[in-house]
Amino acid sequence: MSPVLAGVLQLLALIAALALAYRPLGDHMARVYSSEKHLRVEKWIYRGIGANPNAEMRWTAYLRGVLAFSAVSVLFLYLLQRIQGSLPGSLGFKSIDPDQAFNTAASFVSNTNWQSYYGEQAMGHVVQTAGLAVQNFVSAAVGIAVAVALVRGFARSRTGELGNFWADLVRGVVRILIPISVIGAIVLVACGAIQNFSGIHSVGQFMGGSQQWNGGAVASQEAIKELGTNGGGYFNANSAHPFENPNGFTNLFEIFLILLIPFALTRTFGKMVGSVKQGYAILATMATIWVGFIALMMWTEFAHHGPAFQAAGGAMEGKETRFGIGGSSIFAVSTTLTSTGAVDSFHSSFTGLGGGITMLGMQLGEIAPGGVGSGLYGMLIMAIIAVFIAGLMVGRTPEYLGKKIGSREIKFAACYILITPALVLIFTAAAMALPTPPHSMLNPGAHGFSEVLYAYTSGANNNGSAFAGLGADTQWFNTTIGLAMLLGRFLPMVFVLALAGSLAEQKPIPATAGTLRTNKPLFTGLLVGTVLIVTGLTYFPALALGPLAEGLA
């Protein structure tokens, strides 16, 4: 079987699996966030944290809950790393330095999971399980909660109430993330991923000598890492490591976990606003961009120019022979069009244009299908921008789902889409103007610039993947990328929740003959164009200096 055909068959199998899970999971999540009943274990949690799950919150109270919980999470994870050397199960590793502890705490709480350290050489079992793995669950649940709050803003009228953050957070963890993660971990263990708490031991090498390896609760963390679009690897090689991703089947299964909830949330959106066709329109937009990016990636990586590429069947540098170009391309696009950041190959070794595709996927806002929760609310913001543009073209007040998009709503949406580009471009410019990056870059010229641009793109968009070759474990990069991650995560949430509150207060407007039908293919095409033009062109000058210059050289 040719490598190209193998890649296409993997893509078709993945689409079929996602299609089978789409309706039942989407409907289940809609029931979870619409139910008024609380499970017994949820009541225990509410009692323990002193929360009243039945109290409705306006957007300001909901935001305070998000920020307070996240601030406590950052502090807890920071302190856990700083005292690691005194904890049992530390495997003899020392406590984490202050700047790296801040970077890691900001990274995992913001659902970024950027890692400027070697996981198997820095983090003990307690930090990995009680710290990093816990944040994989709750940071994902925070993203879903904010998305659900925005959906309620569309669904409700003449009220500023968006639900209860603590109830949404707990339900997301207990009823959605934990059950699927348990199943995912069992599948990974059955296929060869490790799950233990063994210490460091020596492993013999084929060419003589030995190598030090430690075990860990890898399969369980791998499952939520992908399902929650987190991305932080137990080992430095991430999902290219055979302990995390043993074979071609687990590679496809992990991609399935990455895409499962973000795609299914479009069904949840449709059910909660009372029109599944609206969910299908958002789904079609996400799927169009995702499939288009995969096709472009496969084309760039299979286009073998020169004898080395011809002998290998494509650009195999930096890719695992277990997965091949097809599986690596699907994984790379899926992990950068979501906020996952896990890698089964090294993006820095992709062709110049291939590396640019991964970068552009993050720069679109990771909305196709995007991160868990963040992809849906990001795409809904773009839908508001799209109907606003359509309204300008026909001279009509824009409407979306029966709500007027006035000056207040469009200001919130505009602030949302401007935050991450500003963070990326300002931090990249500052880094390149200082003497620090040239000493951190192993590659000069366009590729070295791409490494720095990729790092801040990954941080501000809460992705977490990186171009190899950048020495990011410095005080400058740990601090500035940490700030980019926190600001890129929580500032957009401010405007999302403010927009949700504004929409919830409105009185619904009945559809008329002049209303733009946002559940039709025409709107899907308009939305795809809006995403590519409004967000993609923002980064075009920077891309021209990096991956485009390298790819066209």
Side-chain angles (χ1 to χ4, degrees):
M1 183 184 298
S2 73
V4 177
L5 180 58
V8 172
L9 290 177
Q10 288 182 67
L11 178 60
L12 293 176
L14 179 61
I15 292 173
L18 291 168
L20 288 173
Y22 175 75
R23 182 167 181 170
L25 179 58
D27 290 350
H28 170 66
M29 290 191 291
R31 289 192 297 270
V32 165
Y33 291 107
S34 301
S35 173
E36 296 182 357
K37 296 181 179 179
H38 307 292
L39 302 181
R40 181 175 300 177
V41 66
E42 294 171 350
K43 293 178 181 178
W44 294 342
I45 297 172
Y46 299 140
R47 211 171 289 131
I49 62 177
N52 178 7
N54 298 314
E56 287 282 337
M57 294 179 173
R58 298 183 67 83
W59 77 267
T60 49
Y62 204 100
L63 177 63
R64 285 196 298 271
V66 170
L67 297 180
F69 176 76
S70 301
V72 171
S73 297
V74 170
L75 180 61
F76 170 77
L77 188 52
Y78 175 83
L79 293 175
L80 195 65
Q81 295 174 83
R82 294 291 293 135
I83 64 172
Q84 175 178 246
S86 305
L87 295 174
S90 64
L91 302 177
F93 298 145
K94 67 182 181 65
S95 297
I96 308 301
D97 293 334
D99 58 302
Q100 191 171 78
F102 164 73
N103 181 276
T104 304
S107 175
F108 279 77
V109 172
S110 64
N111 200 242
T112 309
N113 294 36
W114 168 274
Q115 295 171 290
S116 60
Y117 58 89
Y118 296 97
E120 65 270 36
Q121 299 176 20
M123 300 294 183
H125 292 322
V126 173
V127 174
Q128 289 277 19
T129 54
L132 306 186
V134 168
Q135 288 305 317
N136 282 350
F137 281 96
V138 295
S139 67
V142 168
I144 301 177
V146 173
V148 169
L150 178 58
V151 174
R152 291 193 185 115
F154 285 110
R156 296 180 177 183
S157 60
R158 286 178 270 197
T159 175
E161 297 172 341
L162 300 175
N164 185 283
F165 167 70
W166 304 107
D168 292 339
L169 173 70
V170 172
R171 288 181 178 189
V173 173
V174 172
R175 302 192 198 182
I176 299 170
L177 296 173
I178 288 180
I180 301 176
S181 294
V182 169
I183 297 171
I186 292 172
V187 171
L188 290 173
V189 169
C191 293
I194 67 169
Q195 180 78 7
N196 57 56
F197 288 103
S198 69
I200 299 175
H201 51 276
S202 297
V203 179
Q205 295 178 315
F206 287 112
M207 302 301 291
S210 63
Q211 190 173 2
Q212 300 292 319
W213 284 108
N214 56 283
V218 175
S220 57
Q221 189 158 323
E222 191 75 11
I224 185 57
K225 149 189 158 180
E226 312 294 16
L227 180 68
T229 60
N230 295 286
Y234 212 100
F235 299 98
N236 184 52
N238 208 276
S239 293
H241 198 292
F243 287 178
E244 292 193 23
N245 193 1
N247 51 56
F249 172 77
T250 58
N251 189 62
L252 206 60
F253 180 67
E254 290 183 13
I255 302 173
F256 170 77
L257 290 178
I258 289 171
L259 301 170
L260 180 61
I261 293 179
F263 273 131
L265 274 173
T266 61
R267 172 81 182 185
T268 304
F269 161 69
K271 294 287 287 186
M272 291 183 70
V273 299
S275 173
V276 293
K277 290 184 178 180
Q278 297 289 346
Y280 289 146
I282 299 298
L283 172 67
T285 304
M286 292 177 171
T288 299
I289 297 173
W290 176 66
V291 172
F293 269 54
I294 289 176
L296 284 173
M297 181 65 81
M298 286 192 178
W299 173 73
T300 61
E301 299 305 300
F302 277 118
H304 29 77
H305 304 293
F309 284 170
Q310 289 175 354
M316 278 298 295
E317 181 188 346
K319 299 180 179 67
E320 280 286 323
T321 54
R322 289 174 292 147
F323 313 137
I325 291 175
S328 299
S329 296
I330 298 170
F331 200 113
V333 168
S334 299
T335 197
T336 50
L337 277 175
T338 62
S339 64
T340 310
V343 293
D344 72 345
S345 54
F346 289 91
H347 298 174
S348 184
S349 294
F350 279 41
T351 62
L353 294 178
I357 291 170
T358 62
M359 208 180 303
L360 181 60
M362 295 184 291
Q363 291 167 348
L364 291 182
E366 296 176 312
I367 52 177
V372 167
S374 61
L376 178 61
Y377 66 66
M379 186 60 82
L380 291 178
I381 293 290
M382 294 309 303
I384 288 173
I385 298 293
V387 297
F388 177 73
I389 293 173
L392 290 178
M393 290 190 291
V394 299
R396 178 183 170 87
T397 301
E399 306 165 13
Y400 187 54
L401 301 179
K403 300 294 178 72
K404 280 188 177 182
I405 308 302
S407 61
R408 186 182 182 191
E409 289 76 21
I410 205 63
K411 286 175 184 176
F412 290 144
C415 289
Y416 175 93
I417 65 173
L418 289 173
I419 288 170
T420 49
L423 291 172
V424 172
L425 298 176
I426 290 172
F427 277 123
T428 300
M432 295 304 297
L434 295 174
T436 300
H439 298 294
S440 298
M441 296 187 303
L442 298 181
N443 299 286
H447 194 80
F449 174 76
S450 294
E451 292 170 358
V452 177
L453 177 63
Y454 193 106
Y456 287 110
T457 297
S458 179
N461 287 282
N462 303 130
N463 184 268
S465 62
F467 262 16
L470 179 68
D473 187 13
T474 66
Q475 287 189 349
W476 167 263
F477 281 117
N478 280 333
T479 303
T480 56
I481 294 176
L483 290 173
M485 290 186 290
L486 290 175
L487 295 174
R489 173 71 165 177
F490 297 110
L491 277 182
M493 286 184 176
V494 173
F495 297 108
V496 169
L497 291 173
L499 174 63
S502 178
L503 293 170
E505 292 173 351
Q506 290 189 27
K507 184 170 66 174
I509 303 170
T512 66
T515 302
L516 175 64
R517 305 300 176 181
T518 54
N519 57 357
K520 300 294 184 181
L522 176 63
F523 179 72
T524 297
L526 174 65
L527 186 50
V528 170
T530 301
V531 169
L532 295 177
I533 294 172
V534 173
T535 61
L537 290 182
T538 304
Y539 292 97
F540 183 80
L543 291 171
L545 295 173
L548 286 176
E550 183 183 358
L552 297 175

